[in-house]
Amino acid sequence: MAPLDLAVLRTADPAEAAAFFAEADPEALVAAVAGVSDHELLELIGRDEVRSAAIEGILARLHEYAVPERLALLEGTVRIDLERRGKLLERHLLRFTGGGIELASGDDADVVLRTSIARFVRLVSGERNAGLEYLSGKLDIEGDSDLALALGGMFRVPGSDAVAVDPTALDPVDVATALRHVHRSHLEKVMASGFRPIVLGEIFRRLPEYVDPVRAADVELAIGFRLLGNPSGEVERYVVRVSGGAATVTSGDDGEERDATVTCQAHDYLRLATGHLHPLTGVLKGQLKVKGDRAKALQLSSVIDIPQPR
């Protein structure tokens, strides 16, 4: 595979940009995009003269960047709004038909994605995780979040049929990094969407990996969590047990005795689990309501160590 020189786009006109994206080898294009910074990428395809041709050229070949089995599962319409500092630059409508992708017209869609041009290109080239971008507020989703995340998970590793990034596979450290500068109101919106069970499920599933075995060596506790704010009205329940330096997590309410139960909004739990809400602060502000042994509830946080972004 010969390397692709993106520099030709620096002086290209719309026709030349359209031809470039129509003829470029998909693997070479993904490799070339990965090799430039966001600033360089915008200099190449963000110019007003070629932006539309470049984006339409990428969208017209989107199926070539997809895992066929995942593309076959997609049904619905997706509107992509590309913005720069809050100003709409491009709007495109895609119709997914169970294996096919059609460029359509109009504004009505099952889901609307809003992001920047550079971030959009990174997403379709498999470099960015749509789930983390959504959590961080760099990708805004309105409508069917399941469809949006399925779209984010259909892109393949260049030269193979393997999924490049699975937006439903969330590492707690990456989540902690994504939440670093996120406003609470945005997190409330995310946790009221269809992404909620994915985030909670992954955080609780991966939590035992971050227990410090030294600090937890002599700890014996069982802490229940009641998470509020589900649009369905359901209260999600989990129990975290620490014993012998290790932790286990179960979902639901098995009726077993526990040392304490923490009741909170799901978005506050997410901040708590990733180190963005100190447990004592949460209790004092009423964001975390503890029934039972408060000392045990606070002790749980002391034995879980999810590395924080610097």
Side-chain angles (χ1 to χ4, degrees):
M1 180 182 67
L4 195 63
D5 185 10
L6 292 178
V8 299
L9 293 170
R10 199 176 300 278
T11 57
D13 60 27
E16 290 169 336
F20 176 88
F21 284 101
E23 298 166 5
D25 178 83
E27 294 176 37
L29 183 56
V30 168
V33 167
V36 299
S37 68
D38 285 356
H39 178 72
E40 291 174 297
L41 189 59
L42 285 176
E43 282 189 338
L44 295 169
I45 67 171
R47 293 185 296 121
D48 291 341
E49 304 94 305
V50 301
R51 186 178 60 242
S52 293
I55 298 301
E56 288 175 3
I58 292 171
L59 292 175
R61 300 185 65 184
L62 208 57
H63 61 283
E64 298 180 48
Y65 300 87
V67 176
E69 293 79 9
R70 294 205 169 198
L71 177 58
L73 299 176
L74 292 184
E75 295 273 0
T77 55
V78 177
R79 198 182 85 203
I80 301 168
D81 288 358
L82 300 179
E83 301 178 337
R84 179 185 295 154
R85 291 188 284 275
K87 179 183 177 182
L88 179 66
L89 296 176
E90 299 281 334
R91 173 169 287 170
H92 302 273
L93 194 69
L94 297 176
R95 183 173 293 111
F96 292 86
T97 57
I101 307 175
E102 302 171 358
L103 294 177
S105 58
D107 293 333
D108 293 338
D110 297 304
V111 62
V112 177
L113 308 181
R114 293 187 182 89
T115 192
S116 68
I117 293 173
R119 189 157 286 107
F120 165 74
V121 175
R122 301 293 185 198
L123 286 169
V124 300
S125 63
E127 292 182 68
R128 296 282 179 89
N129 183 314
L132 292 174
E133 297 294 291
Y134 184 31
L135 276 172
S136 69
K138 295 171 182 175
L139 169 67
D140 187 49
I141 298 175
E142 286 189 7
D144 187 346
S145 57
D146 289 339
L147 175 58
L149 295 171
L151 172 62
M154 79 171 192
F155 302 106
R156 62 186 174 88
V157 175
S160 78
D161 285 333
V163 176
V165 178
D166 185 348
T168 66
L170 300 173
D171 185 296
V173 178
D174 292 336
V175 173
T177 303
L179 297 184
R180 189 174 186 181
H181 301 297
V182 173
H183 195 277
R184 186 178 176 184
S185 62
H186 172 73
L187 198 52
E188 289 177 11
K189 175 184 174 180
V190 172
M191 297 307 285
S193 75
F195 197 38
R196 176 189 180 104
I198 295 171
V199 179
L200 292 178
E202 280 294 278
I203 292 296
F204 275 109
R205 183 181 73 83
R206 300 286 300 273
L207 206 61
E209 300 174 21
Y210 297 92
V211 170
D212 185 319
V214 175
R215 283 185 281 175
D218 299 319
V219 173
E220 296 284 334
L221 55 78
I223 308 299
F225 288 90
R226 298 176 68 253
L227 304 183
L228 311 177
N230 192 320
S232 71
E234 175 191 2
V235 176
E236 294 108 326
R237 292 175 169 83
Y238 295 86
V239 178
V240 180
R241 294 179 177 83
V242 177
S243 179
T248 58
V249 177
T250 56
S251 61
D253 187 352
D254 56 16
E256 291 186 24
E257 188 173 335
R258 62 208 62 169
D259 298 296
T261 298
V262 179
T263 299
C264 62
Q265 295 288 329
H267 54 83
D268 283 328
Y269 169 75
L270 193 56
R271 293 170 61 234
L272 173 71
T274 55
H276 295 288
L277 174 62
H278 192 281
L280 187 56
T281 300
V283 170
L284 292 175
K285 289 187 174 182
Q287 295 166 327
L288 310 174
K289 294 181 171 58
V290 181
K291 181 179 180 181
D293 190 333
R294 285 192 175 188
K296 287 279 191 181
L298 292 171
Q299 189 178 27
L300 175 61
S301 292
S302 72
V303 301
I304 295 175
D305 183 22
I306 295 179
Q308 295 299 299
R310 297 185 181 278

